[in-house]
Amino acid sequence: MGNCCSDESGGHSAAGGTGAYVANPNNGHNEAVDALLKSRGYDGLYSHVESDPMVVIYSKGRDGSLQELARTEVILNSLNPKWITKYTIAYHFETVQNLVFRVYDVDTHFHNQDVKMIKLEEQHFLGEASCTLSEIVTKSNKSLTLDLIREEQSSGPAQTQTSGKLTVCAEESVASKTTVELKLRCSELVSKDLFSKSDPFLVISKFTESGMVVPICKTEVIKDDHNPNWKPVSVNIQQVGSKDSPLTIECYDFNTNGKHDLIGKVQKSLADLEMLHSTGSSANLFIPATVGPNSQNKVLKSQLFVDIFFEKTQHTFLDYLACGYELNFMVAIDFTASNGNPRLPDSLHYIDPSGRPNAYQKAILEVGEVLHFYDKDQHYPAWGFGARPIDGPVSHCFNLNGSSDYCEVQGIQGIMTAYMSALFNVSLAGPTIFGPVITSAADIANKSLMKGERKYFILLIITDGVITDLQETMDALVHAADLPLSILIVGVGGADYKEMEILDADKERLESTRGHVAVRDIVQFVPFRDVQSGDASVLQSLLAELPSQFLEYMRLKRIQPTL
C-alpha cells in the first residue's frame, strides 16, 4: 500500500529505479527547491538549475526510532517530481503505524548508482513529513497532502519552516480483498478434564513485525468432543500479510474462568493449509518445548484437517471507509467502591503525581489512540457507573462530564479530563451493573441508524469487578447485537472474570429471558493485568477483531459500500 503523486504534466527522466508517488500542487513553486537554489547562489526559483529529488520512507517506532522501508527512484531535473513505483505496506487496524517521508536532492555523481547504495548523509536534505497510515486510508480518496518541514540553523535556536508539500496516495491491493474460507476439524484430541471430554476451540494468530502473536479469528466452542468439526471461519490474506506468512493455530479446552488449557498447536501458512486440503493430508498438533538447550516439541497423535479451503473476493473494511463510514468511540468507566479510595496509591483509580497512567487511563489512551482516526468530529459519549454523584442516589449510568443534558466530550483528552474530574465529584459505591450503559450506547446507535448515518459504534467498558446483573446485561446485548455496535470489555485488577467469558459468547450465543438468541457476537473481553505485566499484544488482540465484527454486521444487513 502506498503511492505519492504530482500534478505536473509531462515527465522527466528517472535514475536509480522506482518508488512511491509524491506531489507539489503549488503551481511550480516549491519552497524546498527555492531554498536549495539560494544556498547554491541563485536568487530566483526559475533558474536553470533544478532538483534531482528522491524520497526515503521510514516506519517510526514508539520509542522514536526509524526503520527504513523503501526509497523512490531519483527524478532528474524536476521541480514537481512524480514518483511512480508503489511500496507495499501491510495495514494493521489494531496498531498505529507511523510513517516518515524524507526528501533529498541527490548529487549528480550518484545518478548511476542503485538508490539503495546512495549515502544519504552526502545528499542535500530538502524536508521531512510524517503521518500515520490510518490518516491516509480514512480519506475518501485515500490521499493526504503533508507539509515538508525543515530546520533552519541560525545564530539562535533552530527554527522549523515549511519547505514544500508532499502528497501521499494509497490504494488497496488485490490481496486485501481476498478472503480464505477455512473449515477445520481435529481428531484424537487429548482430554484436559478429569471427568469429561474437552470443550475444544481453535484460535488462529498472526505474527507482527515485532514478533508478537496476535489472534485474528477463532472458532466456536464444541462441547465434549475429541473429534471436533468446526463451522467455517474466514481469514483475510492482507490481514496476515500473504499466503506464505506463518500462522499459529492453537487448540484450547474452554474453561469458564477464562484460563483455557492448551491442547496442542500447529504452525502453518495459508499456503500450507491449502496444500493439506488439496492433498487430503493432515498435520500433527504439538506441545511447545519447555525452555532449555536440548528441549524439543512434543508431537501428539492429535491431527488437524482442512476440509474446505476456498478463496473469494469480498468488500473490505477499507471499502466502507472510502464510502464515508466512521467508527464512533464510546467509553464507560467503573466507579464502584471495590476500586479503592482514589486518593490512596493502592487504588486502581489513583492518579499518580508523576504522570504515570493508572490502568483505566492506560486502557482509554491505548484504545483511543487507534480509534480516534476513524471518527471525524471526535465527540465521544463518556459515562461512569456504580457511583453516587453529589447529592444524588447511586447511578449506573451518569455522564462523565457532569452534565445532565449531554454525554459527549471532545477528543481523547476530553475523556481523560472528565474522568479525573469525576473522581473528585462522585462517591464510589456499587454494585457493578452493565445493563444501563449498554442500553445507552444501543440507543445512540439505533438513533444514528434511523437517521441513515454511516456510523458504527464501539463501546469500551473498563471494570474491576464481577457484574451483578448478568441476565439483564445479556438481554441488553442480545438487543444490541442487531445494531451497528461492538463492545470491548477490559478487566482491571485481580477479580475472577467468569461472567465476562459468558458475555464474550465464545462457547455459545447469548440468549435473552424471552428466548431470543443474539444474531452475532459483539463482545470482546481481555483482562488488563496481562497488559500491565508487559504484554502489549493483549490490547492489540482486543482491537484486531473489530474490522471483522464491522464486516459481519454489514453482510448481515446486506449493506454495500456505495458512494
Side-chain angles (χ1 to χ4, degrees):
M1 189 176 281
N3 223 8
C4 309
C5 69
S6 168
D7 59 357
E8 185 188 41
S9 60
H12 295 272
S13 58
T18 55
Y21 180 58
V22 181
N24 173 23
N26 291 341
N27 296 322
H29 181 71
N30 186 309
E31 294 177 24
V33 176
D34 198 13
L36 171 63
L37 296 175
K38 289 181 180 179
S39 72
R40 294 182 176 180
Y42 295 89
D43 292 329
L45 175 63
Y46 300 104
S47 304
H48 293 292
V49 177
E50 293 186 323
S51 180
D52 303 323
M54 173 183 75
V55 179
V56 184
I57 307 168
Y58 301 87
S59 65
K60 186 175 182 180
R62 282 182 171 271
D63 60 357
S65 62
L66 296 180
Q67 177 185 355
E68 184 176 323
L69 300 178
R71 298 183 181 188
T72 70
E73 77 276 26
V74 178
I75 302 295
L76 304 183
N77 302 321
S78 178
L79 298 179
N80 285 313
K82 287 183 179 181
W83 292 277
I84 58 174
T85 297
K86 303 170 185 177
Y87 176 71
T88 301
I89 300 175
Y91 165 70
H92 300 292
F93 169 82
E94 68 275 9
T95 61
V96 178
Q97 297 170 269
N98 293 298
L99 301 175
V100 175
F101 305 89
R102 288 181 176 174
V103 183
Y104 293 88
D105 176 38
V106 177
D107 191 275
T108 307
H109 297 93
F110 297 91
H111 287 180
N112 293 325
Q113 284 192 15
D114 186 320
V115 292
K116 294 179 182 178
M117 304 301 294
I118 294 175
K119 297 180 179 180
L120 298 179
E121 64 272 14
E122 297 181 12
Q123 315 310 315
H124 188 87
F125 176 66
L126 297 180
E128 174 180 301
S130 60
C131 67
T132 68
L133 186 55
S134 299
E135 288 179 276
I136 303 171
V137 301
T138 51
K139 300 298 181 184
S140 59
N141 60 356
K142 294 188 177 68
S143 175
L144 183 65
T145 298
L146 306 165
D147 288 329
L148 278 173
I149 303 297
R150 186 176 66 165
E151 282 193 356
E152 287 292 327
Q153 298 293 334
S154 60
S155 57
Q159 296 181 339
T160 60
Q161 72 171 34
T162 302
S163 55
K165 301 284 185 181
L166 179 77
T167 296
V168 184
C169 304
E171 60 182 25
E172 199 169 2
S173 67
V174 174
S176 67
K177 296 178 181 291
T178 304
T179 298
V180 174
E181 183 176 290
L182 296 168
K183 192 173 190 304
L184 305 171
R185 63 181 171 91
C186 281
S187 67
E188 299 185 65
L189 295 180
V190 298
S191 179
K192 291 292 183 178
D193 296 325
L194 187 58
F195 299 109
S196 64
K197 295 181 180 180
S198 297
D199 302 326
F201 68 99
L202 297 178
V203 177
I204 302 177
S205 303
K206 66 179 180 181
F207 293 89
T208 65
E209 293 177 358
S210 62
M212 291 181 178
V213 179
V214 177
I216 54 174
C217 73
K218 54 192 171 186
T219 67
E220 79 279 16
V221 177
I222 297 181
K223 297 180 182 179
D224 300 325
D225 198 336
H226 286 167
N227 298 288
N229 195 340
W230 291 281
K231 295 177 182 177
V233 294
S234 294
V235 177
N236 180 266
I237 291 181
Q238 183 273 331
Q239 188 180 16
V240 302
S242 73
K243 288 182 71 172
D244 294 317
S245 299
L247 297 173
T248 293
I249 304 175
E250 297 167 301
C251 184
Y252 286 96
D253 175 28
F254 182 89
N255 289 317
T256 55
N257 62 6
K259 297 178 181 179
H260 311 304
D261 297 316
L262 178 66
I263 297 175
K265 64 192 292 186
V266 297
Q267 290 183 332
K268 299 287 182 183
S269 67
L270 286 174
D272 294 332
L273 296 175
E274 185 176 25
M275 181 63 69
L276 291 179
H277 172 256
S278 62
T279 60
S281 53
S282 61
N284 287 85
L285 277 63
F286 67 87
I287 298 294
T290 56
V291 178
N294 299 318
S295 299
Q296 294 183 339
N297 294 333
K298 179 182 178 182
V299 180
L300 306 174
K301 290 183 179 180
S302 308
Q303 293 182 311
L304 175 74
F305 295 85
V306 183
D307 288 341
I308 292 176
F309 187 101
F310 177 69
E311 292 186 32
K312 55 186 176 181
T313 301
Q314 293 183 314
H315 291 301
T316 66
F317 177 64
L318 294 181
D319 287 335
Y320 287 91
L321 293 184
C323 294
Y325 282 89
E326 297 180 52
L327 301 183
N328 290 75
F329 185 35
M330 307 170 167
V331 66
I333 298 174
D334 185 338
F335 283 87
T336 55
S338 54
N339 283 279
N341 187 338
R343 292 166 178 78
L344 300 178
D346 61 351
S347 170
L348 292 169
H349 281 307
Y350 180 67
I351 305 298
D352 194 324
S354 70
R356 180 182 179 184
N358 63 33
Y360 284 91
Q361 292 172 309
K362 190 174 178 66
I364 293 168
L365 288 171
E366 293 199 12
V367 175
E369 180 185 42
V370 171
L371 294 182
H372 82 275
F373 294 108
Y374 303 88
D375 190 330
K376 291 179 182 176
D377 66 10
Q378 297 191 9
H379 289 167
Y380 305 133
W383 301 286
F385 60 92
R388 182 179 291 105
I390 296 175
D391 299 327
V394 174
S395 173
H396 300 294
C397 184
F398 59 89
N399 296 333
L400 205 60
N401 59 16
S403 170
S404 58
D405 300 321
Y406 62 94
C407 62
E408 291 185 340
V409 297
Q410 177 65 49
I412 302 302
Q413 190 54 49
I415 298 176
M416 301 294 283
T417 300
Y419 163 63
M420 290 187 286
S421 177
L423 286 174
F424 296 97
N425 289 292
V426 301
S427 299
L428 275 58
T432 304
I433 293 177
F434 283 0
V437 293
I438 293 174
T439 298
S440 294
D443 286 344
I444 291 176
N446 188 53
K447 289 176 182 177
S448 174
L449 185 63
M450 293 300 101
K451 293 178 183 178
E453 295 176 335
R454 298 187 173 191
K455 294 184 178 182
Y456 189 92
F457 296 84
I458 293 100
L459 170 63
L460 171 65
I461 301 176
I462 316 171
T463 181
D464 85 311
V466 179
I467 62 173
T468 57
D469 66 332
L470 181 59
Q471 188 56 57
E472 290 82 358
T473 297
M474 290 170 64
D475 289 347
L477 290 172
V478 170
H479 169 68
D482 200 43
L483 296 169
L485 175 66
S486 286
I487 297 174
L488 311 178
I489 303 177
V490 172
V492 297
D496 181 357
Y497 292 110
K498 184 183 298 185
E499 284 86 355
M500 301 305 175
E501 294 293 337
I502 296 173
L503 299 182
D504 205 338
D506 285 333
K507 192 167 186 178
E508 54 189 338
R509 288 284 174 88
L510 298 178
E511 185 174 340
S512 71
T513 50
R514 295 185 177 182
H516 297 146
V517 177
V519 294
R520 62 191 182 103
D521 175 18
I522 64 170
V523 176
Q524 295 298 317
F525 166 75
V526 293
F528 202 52
R529 53 178 171 262
D530 294 338
V531 177
Q532 297 295 77
S533 65
D535 187 0
S537 68
V538 172
L539 273 184
Q540 289 183 14
S541 67
L542 184 73
L543 293 166
E545 294 190 42
L546 274 178
S548 297
Q549 290 193 4
F550 173 94
L551 289 172
E552 184 182 11
Y553 173 80
M554 295 298 169
R555 290 163 188 164
L556 179 69
K557 298 297 183 179
R558 298 182 180 179
I559 299 173
Q560 299 294 317
T562 55
L563 294 174

